[in-house]
Amino acid sequence: MARDLREHEAFCAIAQGAAVIGEWWSLLIVREVTRGRHRFDDLHAELGISRRVLAERLKHLLDHDVLERRPYQQRPTRYEYHLTGAGRALAPVLIGLQDWADRFVLGDGTLTAEAAPGSAGSERLHALAGTSVPPLFLPSTAGGEQDVVAGDAPVTVIFTYPATGSPAPPPADRSPIPGAAGCTLENRLFRDTAAAFAEAGVALRGVSTQRPDEQRAFAEAEDLPFPLLSDADLTLCAALRLPTFRAGHYLRLKRAVIIAGADRMIHHVLHPVTDLPAAVEEALRLGAGLARERQAGAGTRIRR
């Protein structure tokens, strides 16, 4: 339960925030609700937490207006747990913690989501604008292999991300961390806006260096409406010289967004990606604008 704050901490926002969501299970519950797990039994099964502790943590988060209950069944009445506005506002906190752990706990201290403006890696990525994505087919969660650029859409948004969870079991000298399965928020923001991308004529592709089976399990659990592509062999990474960092013994892709037309020409690059929600909104704006241009151009050619 939340600790009592000392008098001189009463106006410290860090101390006050930690008293609400600083406890281990509270953070992981918020993470799972963010991932779309809303029912008690689903949270219990995913986290491996005792039912008593889960009930206590849920009550704590309800009392502090991080979660709210919504009935989904009558006779008897059963409830789901959903994020309030305060709960949704914790997404940057979770992403920031994820970045910090990717860099300093799992990784070698290399920046994962950021790059200094003007750095060689950032300049190299932005120089891709005006060049083409080579015709590459990667293992896909949709089955078989898929082209990195969708052939049935005027625009494709390709977003690269570090991982969807632990790429391998923990070392023999380290016990598994409770609740660590599927720890990521990378794809949820694109999932929740996938309908808007589709309506705008923009296809989505998520690319990481994880194995296809790891991606497939994650995509099924998250019910992703777009494919994830595995660049485990670093084919796309080498072709576009994408920025990477090393986490343990694994090379992972840093976050970036590449927007290409159906002709494979790259029109926009977003990097560094330090604000995921803003990057998703910008990708939708740029992708939709490019799709409109392409569709208008196609209409002009037909009239001629």
Side-chain angles (χ1 to χ4, degrees):
M1 303 301 290
R3 56 163 289 182
D4 294 329
L5 296 178
R6 291 173 292 180
E7 184 177 351
H8 69 274
E9 294 172 331
F11 298 100
C12 173
I14 294 175
Q16 292 288 341
V20 175
I21 53 95
E23 192 270 340
W24 174 300
W25 290 118
S26 293
L27 278 172
L28 296 187
I29 289 169
V30 172
R31 181 199 73 188
E32 289 306 311
V33 175
T34 300
R35 293 177 63 210
R37 304 188 193 284
H38 301 294
R39 298 184 181 181
F40 187 97
D41 287 341
D42 292 338
L43 292 168
H44 175 256
E46 182 68 17
L47 292 171
I49 185 175
S50 77
R51 300 181 75 87
R52 179 185 62 79
V53 173
L54 177 57
E56 290 176 352
R57 292 293 88 205
L58 287 170
K59 182 179 184 304
H60 173 80
L61 294 170
L62 289 167
D63 289 345
H64 287 83
D65 197 34
V66 175
L67 298 178
E68 63 181 5
R69 295 200 308 174
R70 299 178 188 173
Y72 71 90
Q73 174 185 303
Q74 302 295 333
R75 298 180 183 177
T77 303
R78 298 186 185 277
Y79 295 92
E80 291 183 334
Y81 298 88
H82 290 262
L83 296 173
T84 62
R88 289 190 295 273
L90 285 170
V93 176
L94 296 178
I95 291 167
L97 180 59
Q98 177 177 278
D99 285 343
W100 178 84
D102 264 337
R103 181 180 178 187
F104 293 108
V105 180
L106 299 175
D108 57 5
T110 304
L111 290 171
T112 63
E114 303 180 52
S119 67
S122 186
E123 288 186 350
R124 187 171 68 243
L125 259 185
H126 285 281
L128 290 174
T131 66
S132 296
V133 179
L136 294 174
F137 289 78
L138 301 178
S140 168
T141 55
E145 294 188 341
Q146 277 189 295
D147 196 340
V148 176
V149 176
D152 57 353
V155 176
T156 301
V157 166
I158 305 162
F159 65 96
T160 61
Y161 61 95
T164 60
S166 301
D173 61 348
R174 190 188 309 164
S175 60
I177 298 176
C183 184
T184 186
L185 300 175
E186 296 293 339
N187 291 275
R188 180 183 181 274
L189 295 171
F190 280 102
R191 181 193 69 186
D192 290 351
T193 53
F197 278 95
E199 184 177 353
V202 180
L204 289 171
R205 296 282 194 270
V207 181
S208 78
T209 58
Q210 284 191 292
R211 299 194 314 264
D213 59 313
E214 294 169 339
Q215 286 188 331
R216 194 175 306 113
F218 176 79
E220 291 174 357
E222 297 293 309
D223 194 24
L224 297 182
F226 52 83
L228 301 182
L229 306 181
S230 173
D231 196 29
D233 293 333
L234 303 178
T235 307
L236 180 66
C237 179
L240 299 184
R241 300 177 64 202
L242 300 175
T244 62
F245 70 101
R246 187 166 293 278
H249 301 293
Y250 298 88
L251 207 60
R252 298 188 185 182
L253 297 176
K254 294 185 179 181
R255 292 192 183 97
V257 179
I258 297 170
I259 303 173
D263 58 357
R264 316 191 74 87
M265 181 71 69
I266 296 173
H267 291 261
H268 305 286
V269 174
L270 304 181
H271 183 268
V273 176
T274 57
D275 184 334
L276 272 174
V280 173
E281 290 180 6
E282 182 70 355
L284 177 58
R285 184 184 71 80
L286 293 172
L290 180 58
R292 286 194 297 270
E293 291 176 11
R294 292 307 177 91
Q295 290 163 349
T300 300
R301 287 193 295 273
I302 291 173
R303 286 194 296 273
R304 288 179 180 174

